[in-house]
Amino acid sequence: MEPVQRVLIGIGGGIAAYKVCEVISTLFKAGVQVRVILTDSAQQFITPLTVATLSRHPAYTDADFWQPHQRPLHIELGEWADVFLIAPLTANTLSKLSYGIADNLLTNTVLASRCPVLLAPAMNTEMWQQVAVQRNWQQLLTDLRFHALAPGYGLLACDRVGAGRMAEPAEIVTGVQSLLHTSGKRDLLGKRVLISAGGTREYLDPVRFIGNPSTGKMGLALVQAALHRGAYVTLVHAPIEWAVPQGVQAIAGVNAHQMQQAMLENFADADLTVMSAAVADVKPAEYSQEKLPKRSLPEQLPLAPVPDIVAELGRRKQPHQRLIGFAAQTGDIITPARQKLQQKKLDAIVANPIDKPNVGFGSDFNSAVFLDNQGRQIEIPHCSKLKLAHQLFDFVSGLYSRGQKTEVRSHSDLS
């Protein structure tokens, strides 16, 4: 049985406060217990009744802070939380946190807690770019307890287009879910992680291609998990329909040859490489620069092999590098995955079924069996792709140093 997950949300005074309502609702629907603190200024934008209705629990304000309680309220809340989200983080609250000032319920609770704190700033571009604000931001992030969702670029409430827009609710929820799994650990801090994602396309002419249903969602989850654990991430991707997260070096390609070039160019610098892309096995032997008329299509399409990228990476792998592969299979998923693990000189492989409902290509969920070259094998039941990504990094954590004995966390453990 999964342990209860508890998230405390502090809402600051800014128009972006309305976005936090979606975060509260999404977390509650996912079975997370949510408690909310509203600053006095936050109540100028959303009401305690709104967040209480969404979280199914009364909201806390400074008025509650000064009422008698069996135990001090800020102590009680600080000890209760597994993760503390502050969104929107205003310039005012940021300055208080950077100097350890505690003059309201929100800031007192931060100092009275030990759990990881996720920060999602939101403010006008000029405010965000002020030297004092940036100094406070950088100073606060020297404390590894604090995790950042830096503001994005876009249209602001002041009609300015620029930096300062709070992260979108889906990105915030993903950050919270990562911290619930890792408890804030950054075991990939300073490591360079290379990830491939998406399904390659091998074109016959400008409009027809040999491809597969991969959307790259598993690759996105791996990117998010690696970022949240402190890694420098390089993503090599085939055509995708999602936005690459901030802070990622992204290299786009279409076919296997382009992906091979990008992977080989970046592989030497990588500590850990995860080849999650669904790369085509063959391509049309000939390519037409113009669309072929239907009558000109061959009855039998001549095919040619494409580069075996993961095998080439296995041949080039240095002793300090770790290489993880994926094997999407139907029926028996273990035997072909174990063969691929050995033949391609992988350190570990993810065998995942594509013939089960609501897993694999296009789904937000997955299931898998992890195998490594030390003979370990662990089954991961149906879960979100983000959770599977974190469990994969847990599984391979002991492979970073050759010969190091690996301690694997149970897949029921929760970042």
Side-chain angles (χ1 to χ4, degrees), residues 83-105:
V83 171
F84 198 160
L85 166 67
I86 302 179
L89 173 68
T90 63
N92 183 47
T93 298
L94 170 59
S95 66
K96 292 176 182 179
L97 295 180
S98 66
Y99 286 98
I101 296 172
D103 64 351
N104 59 14
L105 177 57

Side-chain angles (χ1 to χ4, degrees), residues 2-3 5-7 32 82-83 116 173-187 225 228-229 370 380 383-395 408-415:
E2 295 283 356
Q5 298 174 314
R6 300 181 294 268
V7 175
V32 178
D82 295 318
V83 171
V173 169
T174 298
V176 169
Q177 291 172 331
S178 281
L179 290 176
L180 285 170
H181 182 86
T182 64
S183 299
K185 73 178 180 182
R186 289 182 169 95
D187 55 339
H228 296 159
R229 296 169 86 126
F370 299 160
I380 307 299
C383 63
S384 71
K385 287 185 173 177
L386 179 67
K387 184 173 182 179
L388 189 139
H390 276 296
Q391 291 179 111
L392 177 60
F393 288 130
D394 291 342
F395 182 72
V408 184
R409 295 173 64 200
S410 166
H411 55 249
S412 63
D413 293 340
L414 297 176
S415 145

Side-chain angles (χ1 to χ4, degrees), residues 322-334:
R322 297 295 168 261
L323 178 59
I324 315 301
F326 270 68
Q329 300 287 346
T330 59
D332 174 17
I333 66 173
I334 304 285

Side-chain angles (χ1 to χ4, degrees), residues 21 72 75 99 124 183 221 242 244 249 283 295 311 315 351 359 368:
C21 295
I75 304 296
Y99 286 98
N124 164 268
S183 299
W242 38 266
V244 176
Q249 178 188 0
K283 65 179 181 179
R295 64 180 180 274
R315 287 190 290 270
V359 296

